[in-house]
Amino acid sequence: MTTRMGPVCRWPVAPLRWAALLSLLVSVGVFFAGAGEARAAPACGVLSTGAAPQATAAVRSACGLIGTPYSWGGGHGAQPGPTYGLCDASNGAPDDCHVRGLDCSGMVRYAYDLAVGEDVVNGTTRTQWPSSRAVARSYRADGTAPLLPGDLVFFGATAPTIHHVAMYLGQGWIVEAPYSGGYVQVAALASHGDYYGAIRLYGPGNSTPTPPQPPSGGGTYWVDTFAAASVYASPNSTTATGTLKQGTNYVYCKAWGREVSNGTAYNHWWLKTDPDIGPAGQWVSAYNLSHWGNDTAKDNDGTTIPDCPGGGTPPATGTHWVDTFATAAVYASPNSTTATGTLKQGTNYVYCKAWGREVSNGTAYNHWWLKTDPDSGPAGQWVSAYNLSHWGNDTAKDNDGTTIPDC
């Protein structure tokens, strides 16, 4: 759907009758690009080369819809095509429930359905933009050079505020369903001042790079990150390779790795993504997700992000939370005497237990060792249950009193 984009442009030509002027605006489609001179719109069609056959067919289908009335909410029935819209004065559409037509997202949906015989881009502008069917994606900063006919171009200041979509024709022109009271028409891309980006549904058709396909073959998952985050070459790397910007980003799959934490917040899941800065196929910590908690990796819809093939996963035994009364050394095995790192004092998780060498002081002792991921040192190390705050000799229970299972 789209909100009302503003009034029809008017020429300062007094002798023209209003009826003739409105007819001319609809048939010729004159739009202003910034402060430049008005440009007469070309006939609707494929205006440049390089697009995939499905995309050029979609352009021709969209051009066949020229003159179709705009209707807020129109085109969002069970099947693509014109429908009666919604009466919604707050979006500049007070009478659209009596108008059979298409809104902006309904128009591009119907055009592609006519072209390929499949409902490939259902939904509203904000669900079409993150479509997992996109084979290429570009942004305002890339300019118009990457655009090909059939690309869907979106408008809004940010991804969450996208409010309009149109189909690119080439040479800076689009076909769009503009606003309530209007009709499907040709316009200049530059006539909208808030172009955000574009997606390509079929291609690539030219030399524009296509983003790497998801390693899992399962598509992309959209997540919100609360701040710009460093990315790494692997889930256990400590050398940053680039940056994923704050906002709505896509990821492919998840793998278990080193902990990222701050206070009581932590996460071991890492998400494979293509960052804004740096090479594709890098890893960002799920700690940076806006909506979810510790050791959780879900997309914005609440769907658990799938595991990457061959990616690390947490031990099958799960986690048990324990309090340690002091910072403790960890070891590579329950019988090792060479420390490999440190587990800090506080509430920590462990996976399972194994019998090993005794740790004692006076009458206090313990032979149980707990597998954990320490604060310093490699993952999967062992800490003595002697360091637990709540329990006694040769006991290994979590904070709830549950006996920690054997490894």
Side-chain angles (χ1 to χ4, degrees):
M1 300 182 186
T2 181
T3 54
R4 188 175 180 88
M5 299 300 292
V8 176
C9 298
R10 294 184 173 88
W11 288 344
V13 183
L16 287 177
R17 296 189 317 179
W18 285 112
L21 176 58
L22 292 174
S23 174
L24 188 60
L25 284 172
V26 171
S27 61
V28 179
V30 176
F31 298 87
F32 290 91
E37 296 182 359
R39 295 190 296 160
C44 190
V46 179
L47 301 183
S48 59
T49 61
Q54 298 94 328
T56 57
V59 168
R60 295 187 180 99
S61 295
C63 291
L65 300 173
I66 292 289
T68 300
Y70 178 96
S71 183
W72 169 254
H76 295 280
Q79 301 298 323
T83 63
Y84 287 98
L86 304 172
C87 288
D88 185 352
S90 66
N91 278 292
D95 197 48
D96 283 30
C97 56
H98 302 114
V99 178
R100 182 177 173 84
L102 300 165
D103 68 10
C104 62
S105 50
M107 189 278 288
V108 298
R109 175 196 184 195
Y110 188 35
Y112 262 101
D113 179 72
L114 291 172
V116 303
E118 183 181 359
D119 190 9
V120 296
V121 64
N122 195 355
T124 64
T125 53
R126 293 184 192 174
T127 58
Q128 289 173 338
W129 162 252
S131 173
S132 61
R133 300 189 67 108
V135 300
R137 193 175 294 272
S138 58
Y139 296 85
R140 180 185 182 94
D142 301 316
T144 60
L147 298 180
L148 291 176
D151 287 357
L152 301 185
V153 291
F154 293 82
F155 301 88
T158 63
T161 60
I162 284 174
H163 59 85
H164 187 52
V165 62
M167 187 178 295
Y168 193 66
L169 302 177
Q171 299 182 22
W173 295 96
I174 58 175
V175 57
E176 65 173 353
Y179 46 76
S180 182
Y183 301 84
V184 175
Q185 61 187 10
V186 174
L189 176 67
S191 65
H192 299 293
D194 58 349
Y195 169 60
Y196 180 78
I199 63 171
R200 183 167 304 148
L201 299 180
Y202 294 91
N206 71 347
S207 58
T208 302
T210 300
Q213 292 303 300
S216 64
T220 51
Y221 297 81
W222 291 87
V223 298
D224 290 339
T225 51
F226 67 81
S230 295
V231 298
Y232 301 83
S234 78
N236 290 299
S237 174
T238 57
T239 303
T241 55
T243 303
L244 186 70
K245 293 180 180 178
Q246 176 184 358
T248 303
N249 298 287
Y250 63 86
V251 299
Y252 297 129
C253 54
K254 71 179 188 301
W256 194 258
R258 66 177 176 86
E259 180 181 88
V260 174
S261 63
N262 185 8
T264 59
Y266 62 88
N267 213 304
H268 290 82
W269 287 115
W270 289 77
L271 311 175
K272 194 160 193 178
T273 188
D274 301 321
D276 298 287
I277 301 170
Q282 303 298 286
W283 298 84
V284 65
S285 173
Y287 172 87
N288 298 284
L289 299 188
S290 297
H291 305 302
W292 310 109
N294 296 336
D295 280 349
T296 302
K298 296 180 180 180
D299 68 8
N300 287 347
D301 295 326
T303 301
T304 298
I305 297 165
D307 294 339
C308 298
T313 58
T317 51
T319 54
H320 297 264
W321 291 92
V322 298
D323 290 339
T324 52
F325 67 81
T327 297
V330 297
Y331 300 84
S333 78
N335 291 299
S336 174
T337 57
T338 302
T340 54
T342 303
L343 187 69
K344 293 180 181 178
Q345 176 184 357
T347 302
N348 298 289
Y349 64 86
V350 297
Y351 297 125
C352 53
K353 71 180 189 300
W355 196 259
R357 67 178 176 85
E358 181 183 280
V359 175
S360 62
N361 185 6
T363 59
Y365 62 90
N366 212 306
H367 290 83
W368 286 116
W369 288 77
L370 311 175
K371 194 166 190 176
T372 188
D373 300 320
D375 297 288
S376 63
Q381 303 299 288
W382 297 84
V383 64
S384 173
Y386 171 87
N387 298 283
L388 299 188
S389 297
H390 305 302
W391 311 109
N393 297 336
D394 279 348
T395 302
K397 295 180 180 181
D398 67 13
N399 287 348
D400 295 326
T402 301
T403 297
I404 298 165
D406 294 339
C407 296

